[in-house]
Amino acid sequence: MAIHSPESRIWWNEPVARGELVWVAIAFVWGLIMFFMMIYWHIYGKQNLSAVVGRVDPEVYVGKVEAFTEKYKVREEGETGIPVAKPEAGGDAYMVARTFEWWPVLELEKGKSYKLHLSSADLQHGFSLQPTNINIQVHPGLEHVVTVTPNESGTFGVVCNEYCGLGHHVMGGRIYVVEPGQGG
Amino acid sequence: MIYIKDSPALAGTKSQFVIAWEGFMAQDPQPETAVAPPERIPFMQRLLDNPFLLLFLGVVIPTVIYILWGVMEITQIPLAK
Amino acid sequence: MSSVAIESRTLGAIAAKFRTCPATGLKVDLAAQALIKANAVAAVVFLAIGGIFGLMVALTRWPAVHLLSSDMFYLVLTAHGLDVLLLWIIFFEMAVLYFASAVILSSRIAAPRWAWVGFILMVIGGLMTNVAVLQGESTVMFTSYPPLKAQPHFYLGLILFAVGALIGCCVFFGTLVIAKEERTYEGSIPLVTFGALTAAIIAVFTIASGAIILIPTFLWSVGYISNIDTLTYKLVWWAMGHSSQQINVSAHVSIWYLIAAVTVGAKPLSEKVSRTAFLMYILFLQLASAHHLLVEPGLSSEWKIVNTSYMMYLAVMGSMIHGMTVPGSIEAAQRKSGFTRGAFEWLRKAPWGNPAFAGMFLSLVMFGFIGGISGVVLGTEQLNIMMHNTLYVPGHFHGTVVTGTTLAFMAVTYLVVPLIFQREIIWPKLARIQPYLFGIGAAGISMFMMGAGTLGVARRHWDLAMTDAALPYGYPPIASLMLGLNGLSAIMAATGGALYVVIVVASILFGKKVDETNIGTALGPMPQRVVRDAVTKYGNAGSWHLPGTYVLVTVFFGAFVLYYFVNWKYLSELWPMQ
């Protein structure tokens, strides 16, 4: 009985039923498989989070994003006045999270790689790219550089999925992915 | 056990202890005890029967692997280019 | 109570009063009994409050209802997390620790006055934090990530609560020492107590981590410290936030063994295997705090993989072992009672009308299939990219903390009321359906939130349609359906939860007193004729033949492997990134 002390003084040496041992072995091996699956994916998989990160003053980061946006601005987003920036393929793209927006809007080309810089100007935010469903935490003071290669064209929403205050649910952003040579 | 001096029930403890000590020092093997030596408890069972050793392991392992290792990595984040 | 012997055991100046439990023959220290009652009652009060908040959250997420304003939604969500994830659970765990040490070991409890100090600190702390949240200036969510700042008494309340809980853990360890010194048991402590020890060890790490991070955060909130590093906060905070849920796992697994022992007379298949499984928890379960930091910048993949996998999934192995040995021990006991036909007669003829057993078995199955599998998938480094901070996360932990822990705690209450409060359960017919109502409702909450999370829906988000956003994103329409079904499930679970609170409170106040004449019926329907048979030892372990359990774990393992690799398939379709 689980509410009584073990019946024999030395229970460690009692035999264990075979079915139980087999299950323990299965659980152990399955654990190893799941463990090595993560390592395997780092070597052969294409979706791994970048480890490129540096400390940055939030104001300095905002300055970098503004300079980037000025250089690569191609138009404004509808009537919102939010700039749309189209970085060079293979180059750097910047986005800043701040209460309550993702800024600026980006336009990327399908199949091209970009170094996407993410950081926050104030609180923690969550970069949630939809509908592809990529979710990355964004901290103030940490500049995270993720190399992404969009593999489908279309309009993608960026939702904030880390609670950042009472206006959290209006915090949105956008990334356009166009066929190479189009857009602008 | 703090109040051992006040306890009439434990008044005889000391003399019994002395007797036992003398018996031990005499190194005179008693035939009864020689026949049935207490079975040695396996190491793993002794570990599992020791709550404070388990407490030590259960606090130190995550503190080292999770917290200290993690804090070390955070302090080593370089400045952004 | 004339027939119940009240016995005093005196050691020097320390005197403890005992009564003998008519069902188990255990000696119950009356000081421990009072502490168990107080902690259990406080737990149920916070469950009731937090449960109402939870229903309001679910009804707001349901787009067709959208109950609360955005400000109120975030406030209520903060309070919901605190009240049920921390207060309900930890108060109940204190009751479990005192029960598993003093009562099960027939010992006097160590330092009951200190235990009361701890209890009072926990009550003051819990109320203080609730007040801070309800005042409206501390809507920072349960996690309170800086630089988001709450009022100082929000943090102070949590610190007081943690100190109180730490005192409770010390009392537990002290009681273990006393019981051993006074030889109230022979040999090793019982398995249920060992499970509680596991919970207490994890609790010490949890509470210490909480103190390490909340004290500076409190000083920051009053202006003595200028800056809290966001990532360090998160790292240490989750050593509390996630490990506190690991206390739950250890406590509710221990309760599974307890209920199986009392209701069907189950005996652990192997002490060695079950205790080794708990040892894996003690050593590695806390590492899973890393589950919350898998898409964080600034921590290496090596750190993430070692920690998120609980050191090569050894703690998952522990859970898989319990997932087999608990039903296995029930099958073995039932077969000994004569239910030997086919693979599943033991399960069909199990005491499903006993809310303690039904709640326990539902908790076991749903914790494994819903909470357990989703937790491992969610906690896989790369798969987390598709799930972090989506509704999949609350979906997962409602599978563990609600269908697992809360349901197990509810189930054991149906034994605690007759054994400790010495009252019969009032309205046994309502009590019979309560675990099903609550369990199925909670399973719905969990699954539909995971469904919405798979579609990318953000957690802690008031407006699915993002109506007022300059750049809104429209989730697929099926997400609305998921959140509607989540709302309906929440209504069902809330009904079950309300029923639980009403039954427990009414039974404590108005239930028939329990003594040795009616303790048998008070514990609910049992497969054995009388309870005394159920709790006496019988036979040796012998050679187990457990075909039903083998079928159950095979189905579980198949579901696990399939779901795991399906998610890798989904991951491979995302935008490549490095």
Side-chain angles (χ1 to χ4, degrees), chain C residues 402-549:
Chain C
V402 186
T403 70
T405 308
T406 300
L407 193 52
F409 285 5
M410 285 176 168
V412 81
T413 311
Y414 294 110
L415 301 179
V416 168
V417 170
L419 289 173
I420 297 294
F421 287 87
Q422 297 167 277
R423 299 284 185 159
E424 274 190 12
I425 296 292
I426 213 166
W427 313 314
K429 285 200 177 130
L430 273 180
R432 269 180 76 148
I433 58 163
Q434 189 273 328
Y436 298 97
L437 206 54
F438 183 80
I440 295 168
I445 292 174
S446 179
M447 309 261 280
F448 293 123
M449 277 204 279
M450 285 199 265
T454 306
L455 299 165
V457 179
R459 69 183 292 200
R460 296 169 165 180
H461 201 281
W462 177 68
D463 186 10
L464 188 67
M466 293 180 73
T467 318
D468 298 325
L471 298 172
Y473 170 72
Y475 288 103
I478 195 166
S480 297
L481 177 69
M482 290 284 178
L483 291 178
L485 292 169
N486 172 53
L488 288 172
S489 305
I491 292 172
M492 186 175 174
T495 311
L499 208 53
Y500 166 79
V501 173
V502 170
I503 291 170
V504 169
V505 172
S507 301
I508 292 170
L509 294 177
F510 310 116
K512 199 176 147 205
K513 286 230 163 83
V514 167
D515 52 38
E516 72 265 33
T517 59
N518 62 346
I519 182 71
T521 50
L523 290 174
M526 306 270 179
Q528 271 79 10
R529 277 183 306 262
V530 283
V531 177
R532 199 169 285 281
D533 279 2
V535 293
T536 46
K537 298 172 199 167
Y538 56 81
N540 287 320
S543 58
W544 305 113
H545 178 58
L546 309 166
T549 301

Side-chain angles (χ1 to χ4, degrees), chain A residues 2 29 39 44 50 53 64-66 90 103 107-108 110 114 116 142 155 168-169 173:
Chain A
V29 172
I39 296 168
Y44 298 103
S50 149
V53 59
K64 284 193 201 176
V65 181
E66 280 168 355
W103 194 90
E107 183 169 289
L108 310 176
K110 184 181 158 184
Y114 298 87
L116 176 61
L142 292 177
T155 305
H168 169 52
H169 50 274

Side-chain angles (χ1 to χ4, degrees), chain C residues 179-225:
Chain C
K180 192 178 174 73
E181 273 192 359
E182 297 181 0
R183 295 170 182 273
T184 63
Y185 64 95
E186 290 288 319
S188 307
I189 53 175
L191 183 61
V192 170
T193 310
F194 192 77
L197 170 65
T198 306
I201 290 170
I202 297 176
V204 170
F205 174 74
T206 300
I207 295 164
S209 308
I212 289 171
I213 200 62
L214 285 172
I215 290 172
T217 310
F218 166 70
L219 295 174
W220 167 72
S221 74
V222 293
Y224 288 130
I225 292 179

